[in-house]
Amino acid sequence: MKLAVMTLLIVSHVLFSSFLQPTVAYDDPSSCASKCAVRCEKAGIEKRCLTYCGICCNKCKCVPSGNYGNKSECPCYRDMLNSKGKPKCP
């Protein structure tokens, strides 16, 4: 009986864990805020930079490193465009 219960628990654990998706560190809004703070610290209009960086981070789950450039690290962030067809993310 114990063997049957243990087998059932192990099988259910394996099946359940296969449906879970791995979490990304940027899922946490506070993580986006800290990454965007670094990204926007030298921006001329810091508040606007933080706003758009936050929008992009929440959607893409990543922020490129550094203050400028490096957008190849996050293709979603790099490819997001505003209504005028220009890059949305700082």
Side-chain angles (χ1 to χ4, degrees), residues 2-89:
K2 285 185 179 182
L3 182 59
V5 171
M6 290 299 288
T7 304
L8 181 63
L9 286 173
I10 291 171
V11 170
S12 64
H13 176 71
V14 170
L15 288 174
F16 179 72
S17 64
S18 67
F19 290 108
L20 296 177
Q21 293 188 17
T23 58
V24 177
Y26 295 94
D27 276 343
D28 181 15
S30 63
S31 180
C32 280
S34 63
K35 295 289 183 183
C36 287
V38 171
R39 184 82 178 162
C40 296
E41 70 184 353
K42 294 183 179 179
I45 305 173
E46 188 175 2
K47 186 174 180 177
R48 182 167 54 185
C49 180
L50 288 170
T51 299
Y52 287 107
C53 180
I55 290 168
C56 296
C57 178
N58 285 322
K59 182 171 183 179
C60 297
K61 309 296 184 218
C62 63
V63 173
S65 61
N67 302 109
Y68 184 79
N70 303 322
K71 288 187 177 182
S72 61
E73 296 174 357
C74 183
C76 170
Y77 191 97
R78 176 194 65 214
D79 298 339
M80 197 178 302
L81 302 175
N82 65 18
S83 60
K84 296 178 183 174
K86 296 189 178 194
K88 181 174 193 147
C89 308

